[in-house]
Amino acid sequence: MFDKEYTFTGKHAEYVRELTSNPYSEDGKGRGVFQRNIDVYMAAPLIGLLYDRTADKDNNSKSTTKIFTDQFISRDSELQFILFTVLLNDRTHNDPEQRIQNSFQNIYEDKSRDHLENLFDQYLLGGVEVLHEKIIDDSKSIDDIVGNFHSFMEEFNDLFATPAHLMQSFDKELTI
């Protein structure tokens, strides 16, 4: 799956550009919240999954931005882990056996691969939308972006972090 270039299109291309650059610099090129498109690609499907957000590819405009094959190849093991995580936790299939089969068998079969890759892309694009909404949408300056990013990280932590008392008991179990 991660052996060819990937193209974001339409509004998702614009969102990725805004997440990887500073839209408020004079030349529009300063560093953004993410350094590269591949960084957005690696974070967004997990954000889409956690926020239960999917989206279809937007082909309504000519806007595009790409990730080249060499960036995928050098991160193949991390990308495979993200893919398996998304497929194992996808709640469109309530049957855990089906999710396991999708992750470790069906993804390698021609008849199922396209559907599962499309599902991954939907979480990816949904995650791009969440990141853009939470960080970029209502900003009017780079300071707003930084503040929005900080607020998003706090919200994310509040929603998904393991409570400290559970971690302490888990650490005790590991040391015994």
Side-chain angles (χ1 to χ4, degrees), residues 2 16 18-19 30 50-52 56 79 105 112-113 131 140 174:
F2 307 110
V16 169
E18 290 177 7
L19 287 163
L50 290 169
Y51 279 81
D52 195 24
D56 291 322
L79 290 163
Q105 182 179 354
S112 301
R113 183 179 308 123
L131 288 167
K140 300 203 181 350
L174 287 177

Side-chain angles (χ1 to χ4, degrees), residues 142-153:
I142 192 65
D143 292 334
D144 289 344
I145 291 174
V146 171
N148 291 345
F149 182 71
H150 182 263
S151 296
F152 173 65
M153 294 309 299

Side-chain angles (χ1 to χ4, degrees), residues 1-171:
M1 175 172 175
F2 307 110
D3 58 353
K4 58 187 178 287
E5 122 183 338
Y6 183 87
T7 303
F8 290 99
T9 60
K11 69 180 179 184
H12 299 106
E14 293 298 322
Y15 292 172
V16 169
R17 257 200 238 49
E18 290 177 7
L19 287 163
T20 57
S21 66
N22 175 358
Y24 300 104
S25 67
E26 287 187 28
D27 61 3
K29 294 193 180 210
R31 180 163 295 166
V33 174
F34 292 90
Q35 188 172 358
R36 300 167 304 229
N37 292 355
I38 188 73
D39 301 325
V40 176
Y41 188 94
M42 292 177 73
L46 297 171
I47 298 296
L49 178 71
L50 290 169
Y51 279 81
D52 195 24
R53 178 81 168 271
T54 59
D56 291 322
K57 197 167 203 157
D58 175 27
N59 294 315
N60 292 330
S61 78
K62 303 274 185 224
S63 185
T64 64
T65 189
K66 294 183 179 196
I67 303 170
F68 295 105
T69 308
D70 61 323
Q71 292 182 318
F72 284 119
I73 291 171
S74 66
R75 289 166 185 81
D76 186 64
S77 61
E78 295 108 322
L79 290 163
Q80 290 292 332
F81 179 78
I82 293 166
L83 172 66
F84 295 150
T85 300
V86 168
L87 294 178
L88 279 170
N89 290 284
D90 168 46
R91 297 298 180 205
T92 59
H93 294 95
N94 290 327
D95 177 23
E97 292 295 323
Q98 180 64 49
R99 294 195 315 256
I100 291 168
Q101 189 171 350
N102 284 345
S103 299
F104 299 109
Q105 182 179 354
N106 294 349
I107 192 66
Y108 299 108
E109 295 176 358
D110 289 339
K111 65 180 181 165
S112 301
R113 183 179 308 123
D114 288 343
H115 168 71
L116 296 173
E117 287 179 1
N118 185 51
L119 180 65
F120 181 83
D121 279 349
Q122 288 176 326
Y123 279 113
L124 165 67
L125 299 174
V128 168
E129 289 179 4
V130 169
L131 288 167
H132 190 270
E133 288 167 9
K134 299 283 185 180
I135 299 169
I136 305 292
D137 262 359
D138 66 347
S139 67
K140 300 203 181 350
S141 69
I142 192 65
D143 292 334
D144 289 344
I145 291 174
V146 171
N148 291 345
F149 182 71
H150 182 263
S151 296
F152 173 65
M153 294 309 299
E154 284 181 335
E155 172 189 322
F156 188 86
N157 188 50
D158 291 344
L159 290 171
F160 303 112
T162 304
H165 69 280
L166 292 177
M167 285 305 293
Q168 290 170 348
S169 72
F170 180 73
D171 287 342

